[in-house]
Amino acid sequence: MTDHAIMQLQAEFARVACRQCTESGLLALRESADWAARLGGSWESRAAAYAEFHCLLADVTGGSAYYLLARLMSGSVCELITRAGPEAGEFITAAHRRLIRKLEERDADGAAEEMECFVTLVSVLAGTRPRGCAAPSTPLCGAGPRASRPAPGR
């Protein structure tokens, strides 16, 4: 699956989750993000834990078709995160927490934008970039459109 397709689907999962997610779903997402952040071991096992958050995001939409689609693409999401490398861990943790805040606020557009930014920057770290997405000098996710912070490595 292409990074662009991952970005489009993940943004849709985030948008729908804003409307459908319950308090127990938000709690499950918080626990998943916290668990992945604390997990030790190999980068591959940590990347799998980060990727599992994205399946859970689809699950909390309440749409079984979204969950099945997320499961089908979970290998691609995990591969993308794995290629980004261990230096992406803190960024991923922060992005997941920002996404949860957007879900709590029921900000569907903000959640979708956060997910698009997440996939774009993880793709850049992984050495790829979804077609038509911003260049690596894009401000860090969560900084908003008026951000002046440079991208990592700048």
Side-chain angles (χ1 to χ4, degrees):
M1 178 172 283
T2 68
D3 294 356
H4 183 72
I6 291 170
M7 180 176 60
Q8 294 297 309
L9 289 167
Q10 290 293 319
E12 179 64 14
F13 297 160
R15 189 173 277 109
V16 174
C18 272
R19 294 188 300 266
Q20 303 296 333
C21 193
T22 63
E23 285 302 315
S24 63
L26 287 169
L27 178 61
L29 285 167
R30 279 187 219 101
E31 289 174 350
S32 175
D34 291 346
W35 178 74
R38 289 190 315 268
L39 189 64
S42 71
W43 172 243
E44 289 76 15
S45 64
R46 291 173 47 218
Y50 286 128
E52 185 59 29
F53 174 90
H54 294 266
C55 286
L56 183 57
L57 176 66
D59 189 36
V60 301
T61 67
S64 59
Y66 282 144
Y67 181 72
L68 291 174
L69 188 54
R71 278 287 162 210
L72 288 172
M73 63 187 265
S74 66
S76 297
V77 172
C78 188
E79 179 184 327
L80 179 64
I81 291 171
T82 301
R83 284 183 308 176
E87 60 278 357
E90 287 182 33
F91 162 75
I92 294 169
T93 295
H96 286 172
R97 290 183 176 147
R98 283 190 304 272
L99 177 64
I100 291 167
R101 278 194 300 278
K102 296 294 183 187
L103 295 174
E104 290 168 338
E105 295 165 359
R106 303 297 181 191
D107 179 0
D109 290 338
E113 181 180 311
E114 182 65 44
M115 189 58 76
E116 288 170 356
C117 185
F118 168 81
V119 175
T120 298
L121 288 179
V122 170
S123 295
V124 168
L125 291 171
T128 62
R129 183 166 29 123
R131 188 172 19 120
C133 290
S137 61
T138 299
L140 293 172
C141 289
R146 295 171 297 282
S148 59
R149 292 187 285 171
R154 297 281 169 166

